[in-house]
Amino acid sequence: MKQGGGRWADPVVRASLVLVLCAVPTARAGGGQPPSFDAVRQGHLSSEAVLLDRHGRVLHELRVDDRVRRLPWVALEGVSPALLQAVVRAEDRRFLEHGGVDWQALGGAAYDTLLRGAPRGASTLSMQVAAMLEPTLRASGNRRSLLQKFDQIRGARALEAAWTKPQILEAYLNLSSFRGELSGIGAASQGLLHKDPSGLDARESALLAALLRGPNALPEVVARRACPLADVDCGSLERLAKAVLSGPVQLSPRVALAPHLARTLLSREVRRSATTIDGRLQARVLDILQRQVALLRARNVNDAAALVLDNVTGEVVAYVGNQGEGSSAPFVDGVRAPRQAGSTLKPLLYGLALEERLLTAVSLLDDSPANLVTPGGMYVPQNYDRDFRGPVSVRAALAGSLNVPAVRTLMLVGTERFAGRLRALGFEGVVEPGDYYGFSLALGSADVTLWQLTGAYRALALGGRWSPPRVSPGGGSGGVAVIDPGAAWIVSDILADRGARSATFGLDNPLATRFWTAVKTGTSKDMRDNWCIGYSRTHTVGVWVGNFDGAPMRDVSGVSGAAPAWLEIMQALTAGDVPSGPPSRPRDITAASVRFLPALEPAREDYFLRGTEIPEVALTPPSPAAVRISYPGDGAILAVDGDIPDPVQRVRFVPTQPLDGLLWRLNDEVLQADAGGDVLWRPRPGRFELVLAAPGGGVLDRVRFEVRGGENHRESPR
């Protein structure tokens, strides 16, 4: 055996054996002309699609191929020399000397395989690249067939004739699998060591080179194979291998500023897309939201979103679906998620009332308790501070975000008319008839999105012209006229009026900018959503804060929730630029002096649609003929509450306007009214007719209602 073994160990004998074997005729699956190096490089598809900002900078990388993890092609100049040396040393020591096949290594492999029964490979880098380029040459299982090996040799020789050595080495590094789903040196370096291939040191290079032989080997096996490849301490190599190979591979996007937008615009079919987003502004807005949520975390605020539009073009220049780090649901897009609008619909409502000349900026609205009968029962709107201010002008009501005057304005306009206006402004979720929402539509009961709200406020900034915002370059339009330009201008002037706003918010608040802006806040029922939407001459900014799961916030108002972030974004937009000025006044807007009698508000100059000027606003006593029954409604069914002691349980009969001397008659019983005309009545089961009469005795209104229950009344403790 020793004598025979010595004979086969002779290099010439081994080479002769290989030459004889290679002479066997085969089907030359891999013997054709290889593809060009440029074709292979250009056909290399990253598993990550790329979203570019308006300046061509990478805005976001998104994985779109779930079969493999591969980054863009890495040129040889971008690879550390230490890695090149380690790879050649590990895989093909005579790479620069042979013409595609290392006959000496191949002869030794043939000897071990055929005569010693110890199979081992001897594929050069060129042979491995040839197999990567030709599917029929890839091993099935752990070994290639003898015919595949012959064709692999021919393929390697053809590759060497067509490509340069550096090209072969570059292709090998980009096409090889390193560990798990990581393919190519770019993904391996980033996924395992979190650095570019150009920055790999000798120890890291040896580790990656050792993975080429066994991508999924145990860390200690990889370390043992890596140790001879570099002049480094083997103990440190073993520690490195355990640190980077023991856990799951994590390859995070190198740039991740717009995940929600990227998921919309990118796919396996669309690997590269440009958008209107400004990457630097996007990063700034993301940072602002993260800091604001951190400040509000103790008040149970976990999520935020923001949208910034260019007023002229309609382009989206910042789109932050949530603040990312710390969000309760990072995959939820807060820009597109439907939420209740709160008070943010009020400017659109008042704009419609002004446009239809139902109101002017100085018209008085009654901010007093209202009990409104609806098909679903009583609707009793309240102001945010639970207080009422009596008669107030439209300017004061809108700037101060008073709820009751807004509901009275909706009663003038009509719910269906207002719902139609919202649909015309892009609120696609407002699909039901106006009666479905009822009077609460004035206070934002409809589900809307930040995308829709910000787009509608941009229409106010543009004098009433609306067009959908866009995230892709090109394709803009002049939009359609939805709001009367004069009405839009007056609404903008009110939203920019710090003095009118101060009665509710004070003069020092985040809504007061150093330059001209028009802005409105809103908070939905039970403090579940907080909004701040506003615009300058150039941009419209919308911010939402809250919780994606609908959990209520604690003690968060419009000026403490979304407004500080809105202000900081606005300031970032104007940094270094000429401050925003007010929009030009339309020709059909006139200015006129107005005084109030009595002096409910100071005399002032205000703005009007031409022909609606009012020099004097006088508060006149209500006409008895106009008074009706506000509560209960005709046909109402009331129930006696068994949990309330009978002696203290009462129903209040309310007129639409307070008036001295009103007379109430329930069936044949005359009731005593208070000074304002209200009556407190102790309910009892039965059917009743309620009549309201004027001080002179004339019937003003009558309703019929029913009271049920009362069998289990409890008397109050004596």
Side-chain angles (χ1 to χ4, degrees), residues 109 121 177 208 215 227 237 374:
S177 294
L208 292 182
C227 191
L237 253 176
T374 70

Side-chain angles (χ1 to χ4, degrees), residues 58-239:
V58 176
L59 181 69
H60 196 92
E61 290 182 338
L62 179 72
R63 181 178 184 179
V64 294
D65 189 342
D66 56 5
R67 299 168 300 179
V68 69
R69 207 69 193 272
R70 184 187 298 121
L71 294 184
W73 188 276
V74 179
L76 210 59
E77 295 77 13
V79 179
S80 165
L83 178 65
L84 301 180
Q85 295 172 6
V87 168
V88 170
R89 189 171 182 179
E91 295 295 309
D92 191 354
R93 291 177 178 269
R94 287 177 285 274
F95 172 64
L96 297 178
E97 304 167 11
H98 60 65
V101 181
D102 186 343
W103 296 109
Q104 181 177 343
L106 195 60
Y111 169 76
D112 290 340
T113 300
L114 298 176
L115 300 180
R116 296 183 56 197
R120 67 180 179 91
S123 295
T124 62
L125 294 178
S126 304
M127 293 169 67
Q128 293 183 60
V129 172
M132 294 172 184
L133 299 179
E134 174 53 58
T136 62
L137 299 183
R138 295 170 190 169
S140 56
N142 296 325
R143 300 182 59 186
R144 291 182 178 85
S145 68
L146 189 59
L147 296 181
Q148 283 181 311
K149 199 68 176 178
F150 292 152
D151 283 331
Q152 187 185 16
I153 292 172
R154 293 191 177 95
R157 293 171 65 86
L159 191 66
E160 289 270 353
W163 293 16
T164 65
K165 289 285 188 180
Q167 288 174 337
I168 294 172
L169 182 56
E170 183 175 314
Y172 178 76
L173 290 172
N174 282 281
L175 300 177
S176 293
S177 294
F178 281 83
R179 191 166 188 85
E181 61 180 3
L182 298 178
S183 176
I185 186 57
S189 183
Q190 290 286 349
L192 296 174
L193 300 166
H194 311 295
K195 58 169 55 179
D196 289 331
S198 60
L200 297 171
D201 59 24
R203 190 177 58 144
E204 295 162 340
S205 297
L207 186 71
L208 292 182
L211 285 173
L212 293 167
R213 183 184 302 181
N216 297 314
L218 295 174
E220 53 269 24
V221 175
V222 176
R224 187 168 62 250
R225 292 172 178 170
C227 191
L229 302 180
D231 186 16
V232 296
D233 176 59
C234 292
S236 67
L237 253 176
E238 185 172 353
R239 289 190 295 272

Side-chain angles (χ1 to χ4, degrees), residues 330-382:
F331 288 99
V332 174
D333 184 351
V335 171
R336 302 279 191 170
R339 314 289 296 189
Q340 286 204 335
S343 294
T344 56
L345 297 182
K346 290 176 183 174
L348 309 176
L349 171 62
Y350 282 105
L352 181 57
L354 292 170
E355 174 185 320
E356 296 191 345
R357 288 168 164 73
L358 298 171
L359 296 172
T360 70
V362 300
S363 298
L364 292 179
L365 294 168
D366 184 18
D367 183 25
S368 62
N371 297 273
L372 307 176
V373 179
T374 70
M378 290 298 298
Y379 178 58
V380 184
Q382 299 280 339

Side-chain angles (χ1 to χ4, degrees), residues 551-639:
M553 302 169 283
R554 292 190 297 270
D555 191 26
V556 176
S557 66
V559 295
S560 65
W566 176 87
L567 173 63
E568 194 170 350
I569 294 170
M570 270 295 180
Q571 291 172 334
L573 288 166
T574 59
D577 295 337
V578 177
S580 164
S584 301
R585 196 167 81 190
R587 286 181 293 180
D588 65 338
I589 294 293
T590 61
S593 296
V594 180
R595 66 175 183 151
F596 295 85
L597 296 175
L600 300 169
E601 296 182 15
R604 63 174 182 259
E605 183 179 74
D606 217 317
Y607 299 100
F608 302 86
L609 293 174
R610 192 177 302 277
T612 65
E613 299 87 344
I614 305 174
E616 187 175 273
V617 180
L619 184 63
T620 59
S623 169
V627 179
R628 297 290 184 269
I629 297 174
S630 175
Y631 184 82
D634 191 32
I637 298 176
L638 309 181

